[in-house]
Every structure is written in structure tokens, then in C-alpha cells.
Amino acid sequence: MGGTLELGVETFGDITAGADGTPESDAQVLRDVVEQGVLADQAGLDFFGVGEHHRPDYAVSAPEVVLGAIASRTSAIKLGSAVTVLSSDDPVRVFQRFATVDGISGGRAELILGRGSFIESFPLFGYELSDYEVLFEEKLALMAKLLRPGPTTWSGSTRSALHAQEVYPRTEHGMRAWVGVGGSPESVVRAARHSLPLMLAIIGGDPLAFKPFVKLYGRTLEEFGHAAQPVGAHLHGFVAASDEEAKEALWPHYRAQMDKLGRERGWPAYSRGRFEAAASPEGNLVVGGPETVARKIADIASGLGVQRLDLKLSAGTLPHSAIMGSIELLGTRVKPLVDELLAERATAE
């Protein structure tokens, strides 16, 4: 891959620590997320994504409402979910809410559709986990139809059928919806079958190990007779003035978050050795000073052949001020360096 890469940032609205170390209120975190989105636009980044969760460690359960607030204060940046838990929502309402953000923002809304890594939304909204597969399969099929211009006709077992149904508001120029995939070949094939862009969630191991999924996606698009679609990658990251400063600022918050999830899922305690391995050139954590982060982003982007790379900068209790500093550096220092590195590699090819 050569040329320009779209570079984005994401947040789950993690409950951050205030100046005195105590947790911020949900309301304050929501206001901070809006400020982060505004700064990402000012810094020249390409995308700002907000995740959806329904648990106490995250403040955002309605990303499109937060995105609407950000849309009213920004002018260029694309705004989207990261991800929308489609399995436990109604695709028609999801489309309507994001089409509304698209109208408010002047055509800048996107969705990343997924099943999510948590299950709290299923009982909350009256769904059975035993229907996990069929819910996503059917709802993604319906969403793919809703994204096409004109009336929608669809039938299935998870909601009432639609017959030549118009859904409002209409978008002016269409709306992009990615499918988030964590590492299942079946999920890659599903995205290709619906001709939807692919977003790889790389949260462990060597990012370049996902190259076979990119190849599978391209082959499957061709087999279905579809045109080429963008591929993106989502990773966790953090930028500070130097490598050492970035790692020391992130480490205690990242460790606490990983240990909390580990207690829920039966993982061993998260060690500094694992953190350093993840932060290495071959690891999944994009952390360091601007030059280190730019090189790693360029290596991943060119190695995988992706057109977009998003970094989740929020990390548990990592303070809002640290996230803001990271956004500033990512836009003003890292993005220009990435563009230079990719341009140089394109010239050398």
C-alpha cells in the first residue's frame, strides 16, 4: 500500500480518573468525549469513533447522541460508532439515528457494525444469547438492504417483515457502514457477501498475522462479483512526547483495565512483560512518541494493505487530559509523518 491513509481515533467513553484520582461522573465523561471529538477535528484527523456499552466502566450507551453533539461543533472529520452492537438493536432505528447524524454533519456519519465483546445488552433489551448468531446474521442482512437507495423489502425470524418500506430520513449521498471482525473467517466472508467494508479489530498478537483475512476478503468479494471495498484496522494506542513517557503514562491504567477484564474472563494477571511485548514493533499496542507511533502505523498499514487505521486512545482510568494530548500529537505530529513514510514507500515500489 502507498499514498494517504485515513487515520482515526476511537473512545469507548471509559470512566476516567479526575485530577484527584477519583472516577469522573458519567455526565462529565460524556462532555469530555465531545471535547475529544472537537479536538480530533481541529487536529486534522480523519475519523472519530464512539463505542457502545451497557456496563458501569463506560459512560456511552448511545453513541449517535454523542456524535450529534460533536457534529454540531465540527466541520470535516468523519463521525461514527465503534461499534454499534447491531445484534441487540433494531436495524431500522439504527439506520434512522445515524442518517440523522449524517444530515446534521453534512454527510460525515459512518457506522461500524458488530456483535460487541460484552453481552450486557442482550438481557437488557430482551434478547437470548442462544440467538447470538441468527440475530447478527439477519440484522446485518437487513442493514445492508437499508443502506441501498430505494424502498426496503426483507423478511426473517428476528423482527417483523418489511415490504417496499421507505425509511426516513433519507441520506443525501448514502452512508458507509463497516463490519467489525475480530478474527473469524466466517465473519470476513459475511462482510464480503454483503459488500460492506471490513474493519479488523486487532487487540492481540502480531497485527500482520491478520493479512490472510485481508486476502480472504478480497477473494470473496471477487467470487460474489462485488467491487473492491475498503479495509480498516482498529488497534489500541497512545502517544506522548517520548516512548518512555507514553508507556509510563499508559501502563498503570492499561494494566488495571486488563486485570479487571481478566477477573471477569478468567485471564491471568497482566504483566509488564506482556505490555512491553504488545508495545514492541510486532505487537498490537501502538504506543510511544510520535516517530515510533508513525513508523508502527505505517508498517501495519502497508503490511496489511488497509485504507484506514483507527486507534482507541481511551484506556480505563487514563485521564481526559492525557487523551487530549494524545489526540493533538496524533493529528499534528503522527499523521504527517505517516503520510511521508507511506509516500516514500510508494515511490520506492
Side-chain angles (χ1 to χ4, degrees), residues 128-156:
E128 298 292 337
L129 279 174
S130 57
D131 295 328
Y132 188 82
E133 293 295 336
V134 68
L135 282 168
F136 190 69
E137 181 70 43
E138 288 199 357
K139 293 187 178 192
L140 185 64
L142 173 53
M143 179 59 74
K145 290 195 171 190
L146 290 165
L147 290 164
R148 300 174 194 143
T152 297
T153 296
W154 176 91
S155 63

Side-chain angles (χ1 to χ4, degrees), residues 10 47 81-84 110-114 178 180 199 308 310:
E10 298 175 355
F47 175 77
S81 56
V83 299
T84 293
E110 294 190 352
L111 301 92
I112 303 177
L113 305 168
W178 306 72
M199 181 64 69
R308 196 158 80 240
D310 297 337

Side-chain angles (χ1 to χ4, degrees), residues 302-318:
S302 57
L304 291 178
V306 298
Q307 290 75 51
R308 196 158 80 240
L309 192 145
D310 297 337
L311 291 183
K312 177 187 179 286
L313 298 181
S314 62
T317 52
L318 181 71

Side-chain angles (χ1 to χ4, degrees), residues 154-185:
W154 176 91
S155 63
S157 63
T158 55
R159 59 148 291 149
S160 57
L162 300 177
H163 303 285
Q165 179 69 53
E166 291 281 5
V167 177
Y168 307 100
R170 299 184 182 97
T171 59
E172 291 179 306
H173 307 291
M175 189 165 54
R176 174 176 286 175
W178 306 72
V179 178
V181 173
S184 159

Side-chain angles (χ1 to χ4, degrees), residues 266-278:
W267 300 342
Y270 193 74
S271 68
R272 183 64 188 238
R274 287 179 62 193
F275 178 78
E276 293 290 343

